[in-house]
Amino acid sequence: MNVGWEAWNRLYKADIIRKYDLFFWDNKLIFAEDFGFSLNFALHVNKITCISNVLYYYLIRENSIMSKAVKEPRLSASLALSKLLEEKIATSFKDTMIHKEFPILFYSIMYEQLRGATIDNYKKSISSIDDKEYFYNNLKLITRKFTLLLKHFGMIRGVVVLLICIFLITQKFDKLNVRILKSYKKRWKISEVFENNKSKMFSKKRIFLIGSEDFRNLKDHHIAISEMEYLQNIFPEYSIIEITASEYKEVRNLLSFIIRRRDLVCLPGGGNMAKVNSHSEYILKDVMKKFRNNRKVIFPQTIHYNSSDDGILRLVKDQSFINKCKNLILCVRELSSYDLAKQYFDCEVVLIPDAVLYTNYSNRYHFDRRGAMLLLHNDLEGALSQQDRMTIEGVVRQSELNIHYNDTILNSDISVFDRRDVVDSFIQKIAKSEIVITDHLHGMLFSAISLTPCIALSNYDEKIDGVYDWISKFGFIKVIQNISELEGAMKELSEIEKIEYDNSSILEGYEALTKILKGNAD
């Protein structure tokens, strides 16, 4: 788990703060006062305990300090923090291990800023340092303590750190040093990926899920959870290795040497394959070209091309690309997508439910439901006007329900290690609502799997109608075409006495894919 360094994600023992007179150093001096306080506090504790519960939601305001991109490394601020810590350690921890090994801590603090260096800002960042003597003296100390580098970083990374320090001291080879810093960051990412999957890499039977998005959108994280759950259930004897979208760029070249011909390669579902999405489209096409001889599965997608010249051109290009792919199973989640794929694509096409519907929360939550959740798009996919929103709010207030707002897109990326807890916490919020009104496809699906009455606005998301076919038999989910139908739909849902959800028929929808995969595996 990545615990970060922020002060807001911890509980601190007040006795320690009082005993050692700990406080936040001046933000204007060191910038990251949270980082400084966390390091200062850590000096006085013998034990740190981590829990996975999601207990705090951090709001990132558009005009806040942290939301503004830092264009240049803040080396002087990091130096100021280093000086404060060194003074504290020299006073309170003289001749201890942390005192003797302070140069390693110095480098770690500086690296937090150095890793953001580019060819354009490298020289300017170094020249802007306030206390160059202190900076270079500590770098020289690091180069004299190579055994410490080996102890803390290992042989390869230790040598890289040594080279970075030498190039900083000599003030030569600037371009090379920036490349080393970038390479070091990349190798760190690679080592992290392999460390997380080391027990699986050497398995004889392996499945790779490549490109699952690990960014801000909760629906992408739930899709990944459900896809992993499906694969683990039908192939319990296989090791499932996930390579996320943010990891793929760093490890793509190595994957050619790691993925064997007999490995199954899966790509995540959840979007409209016909829409141009630079990152996910790049990964999908790159993987299909790179591993053309492997069995490949694209999990359920929507496929819809508009009738414009650009839409037709996109269809022709996708048709040409997909028809060249070998051993491809393309999963779609609506009948219209199935018909289109069968007509234009020369590959195996399977109609199955959206991945999220594979997960069932029906026996997990039992809350007293209160209020109405408005789960409406705030991103580029949103089509509701301000007037539409006001109309929806007015109808809900007539029912004397308290309104609370939410969105499936958070303000910051979610780690794969935290995704289960963050997603579960979000589903709980839905399950505590009397009703959900949404223009999200996955807002509708989250409501279905949590047994929450829901009204979905179909005309604001072309994917809703087709996917609704899988859950239309459940009376607590309603799809309307116009906001004028909202009041009647709310009245209808309020009259339901008992909500029941049996997803056995939905699970049967995955059997077509399971049969193909099991047959190929045999």
Side-chain angles (χ1 to χ4, degrees):
M1 180 187 295
N2 178 11
V3 297
W5 45 261
E6 299 87 351
W8 53 262
N9 72 352
R10 295 172 169 81
L11 289 176
Y12 296 92
K13 195 169 183 179
D15 287 348
I16 293 176
I17 294 175
R18 295 189 192 100
K19 181 178 179 180
Y20 297 104
D21 192 25
L22 304 182
F23 53 88
F24 285 89
W25 285 316
D26 188 351
N27 170 263
K28 295 177 182 177
L29 181 64
I30 66 170
F31 178 65
E33 75 276 21
D34 289 31
F35 189 24
F37 184 82
S38 296
L39 289 173
N40 197 359
F41 187 89
L43 292 172
H44 298 281
V45 299
N46 298 316
K47 181 181 179 182
I48 297 174
T49 300
C50 300
I51 60 173
S52 59
N53 306 58
V54 179
L55 303 173
Y56 192 103
Y57 284 90
Y58 187 80
L59 175 65
I60 301 179
R61 299 184 305 277
E62 289 185 9
N63 296 319
S64 71
I65 296 173
M66 297 308 296
S67 66
K68 295 176 182 177
V70 177
K71 297 182 179 179
E72 295 180 1
R74 297 174 178 268
L75 294 178
S76 289
S78 292
L79 275 182
L81 172 58
S82 178
K83 286 180 180 180
L84 288 168
L85 274 173
E86 185 176 23
E87 181 181 348
K88 173 69 177 282
I89 290 169
T91 303
S92 304
F93 300 92
K94 188 174 177 62
D95 296 330
T96 63
M97 183 182 71
I98 189 69
H99 186 220
K100 294 174 183 176
E101 299 186 0
F102 178 78
I104 301 298
L105 180 57
F106 168 83
Y107 174 80
S108 299
I109 293 170
M110 299 308 298
Y111 176 70
E112 282 293 312
Q113 297 299 323
L114 283 169
R115 65 180 181 173
T118 66
I119 294 295
D120 296 326
N121 66 25
Y122 178 83
K123 271 192 173 181
K124 184 179 178 181
S125 300
I126 301 298
S127 62
S128 68
I129 292 173
D130 294 335
D131 192 342
K132 292 183 176 60
E133 183 179 359
Y134 178 79
F135 177 69
Y136 289 117
N137 283 344
N138 274 284
L139 290 176
K140 290 172 184 176
L141 281 175
I142 295 170
T143 62
R144 295 177 198 145
K145 294 181 179 287
F146 186 59
T147 54
L148 278 184
L149 295 179
L150 297 180
K151 174 183 173 182
H152 287 276
F153 300 111
M155 174 59 76
I156 296 175
R157 282 163 59 188
V159 171
V160 171
V161 172
L162 180 65
L163 287 173
I164 290 171
C165 293
I166 290 172
F167 291 157
L168 283 167
I169 293 166
T170 59
Q171 300 179 53
K172 296 179 180 179
F173 311 108
D174 292 346
K175 290 184 179 180
L176 177 59
N177 208 16
V178 171
R179 289 181 62 185
I180 291 174
L181 283 163
K182 285 189 174 182
S183 177
Y184 180 62
K185 183 179 178 181
K186 179 178 180 179
R187 297 297 179 269
W188 190 295
K189 190 71 165 179
I190 291 172
S191 66
E192 189 178 72
V193 170
F194 284 90
E195 180 66 26
N196 294 336
N197 293 287
K198 63 182 178 183
S199 62
K200 303 175 183 178
M201 285 294 185
F202 300 103
S203 298
K204 290 184 178 180
K205 295 182 175 182
R206 304 181 302 178
I207 298 172
F208 285 82
L209 177 62
I210 302 177
S212 50
E213 295 201 16
D214 50 343
F215 305 119
R216 301 186 301 150
N217 199 325
L218 285 169
K219 67 99 172 172
D220 293 321
H221 286 276
H222 203 310
I223 286 169
I225 289 170
S226 299
E227 289 167 350
M228 293 284 284
E229 188 179 329
Y230 169 76
L231 291 170
Q232 288 160 354
N233 286 343
I234 67 166
F235 290 116
E237 71 278 20
Y238 278 68
S239 293
I240 317 297
I241 299 168
E242 181 183 13
I243 307 295
T244 67
S246 68
E247 295 167 344
Y248 181 72
K249 183 179 178 181
E250 312 298 345
V251 302
R252 64 180 293 274
N253 292 328
L254 288 175
L255 287 179
S256 299
F257 301 98
I258 293 166
I259 294 180
R260 300 187 287 258
R261 169 68 179 81
R262 63 177 178 270
D263 292 330
L264 173 63
V265 175
C266 300
L267 291 147
N272 181 357
M273 201 172 77
K275 277 189 176 180
V276 178
N277 182 327
S278 57
H279 197 60
S280 59
E281 182 191 24
Y282 157 73
I283 293 175
L284 185 144
K285 291 191 172 180
D286 193 58
V287 168
M288 290 207 288
K289 285 190 289 187
K290 192 178 285 288
F291 305 107
R292 62 177 62 250
N293 293 319
N294 287 73
R295 289 181 303 137
K296 294 174 289 295
V297 176
I298 300 176
F299 277 114
Q301 305 268 348
T302 291
I303 306 175
H304 172 75
Y305 297 90
N306 63 48
S307 57
S308 67
D309 291 343
D310 287 341
I312 295 170
L313 179 61
R314 175 66 192 241
L315 171 58
V316 171
K317 287 183 177 180
D318 285 351
Q319 182 184 33
S320 175
F321 180 82
I322 289 174
N323 290 353
K324 292 175 184 176
C325 292
K326 300 178 182 178
N327 306 316
L328 175 63
I329 302 168
L330 173 59
C331 300
V332 293
R333 58 191 178 185
E334 318 98 339
L335 190 57
S336 59
S337 296
Y338 179 80
D339 291 339
L340 188 150
K342 291 291 285 184
Q343 180 179 353
Y344 291 103
F345 301 147
D346 184 18
C347 64
E348 194 147 19
V349 182
V350 186
L351 176 64
I352 66 173
D354 185 276
V356 164
L357 290 173
Y358 188 79
T359 304
N360 186 357
Y361 290 83
S362 60
N363 296 318
R364 203 176 300 184
Y365 305 132
H366 301 282
F367 298 119
D368 290 330
R369 299 179 182 273
R370 296 177 183 275
M373 176 184 286
L374 301 191
L375 190 56
L376 305 173
H377 278 108
N378 287 317
D379 61 359
L380 294 176
E381 290 188 43
L384 281 171
S385 68
Q386 189 60 37
Q387 183 60 49
D388 290 333
R389 290 171 181 267
M390 291 173 65
T391 301
I392 292 170
E393 291 170 0
V395 172
V396 174
R397 288 197 176 97
Q398 285 177 12
S399 300
E400 298 182 351
L401 292 174
N402 291 326
I403 297 175
H404 45 279
Y405 303 85
N406 223 315
D407 195 359
T408 60
I409 299 176
L410 303 187
N411 285 316
S412 58
D413 293 345
I414 306 163
S415 162
V416 293
F417 302 107
D418 299 330
R419 66 153 63 121
R420 170 70 74 172
D421 298 299
V422 175
V423 166
D424 282 355
S425 178
F426 186 78
I427 298 295
Q428 285 185 46
K429 289 180 180 293
I430 290 177
K432 290 178 180 178
S433 304
E434 292 179 57
I435 189 170
V436 171
I437 299 170
T438 186
D439 60 350
H440 291 254
L441 166 63
H442 285 91
M444 177 180 76
L445 299 185
F446 289 163
S447 299
I449 62 178
S450 64
L451 280 72
T452 305
C454 174
I455 298 171
L457 305 169
S458 172
N459 59 329
Y460 295 100
D461 190 330
E462 76 276 1
K463 303 185 288 289
I464 285 178
D465 277 330
V467 178
Y468 178 63
D469 289 342
W470 294 101
I471 57 174
S472 59
K473 67 176 183 178
F474 303 119
F476 64 93
I477 304 291
K478 297 291 180 186
V479 171
I480 62 175
Q481 303 299 323
N482 195 287
I483 294 175
S484 63
E485 303 171 53
L486 179 59
E487 187 174 355
M490 287 185 66
K491 185 176 185 302
E492 190 176 339
L493 290 181
S494 69
E495 294 171 353
I496 296 176
E497 294 182 1
K498 186 178 180 181
I499 296 174
E500 294 182 328
Y501 179 75
D502 177 5
N503 75 331
S504 56
S505 61
I506 294 176
L507 294 180
E508 288 172 3
Y510 297 95
E511 289 181 1
L513 175 61
T514 302
K515 187 176 180 180
I516 294 170
L517 293 178
K518 287 280 191 181
N520 289 341
D522 296 339

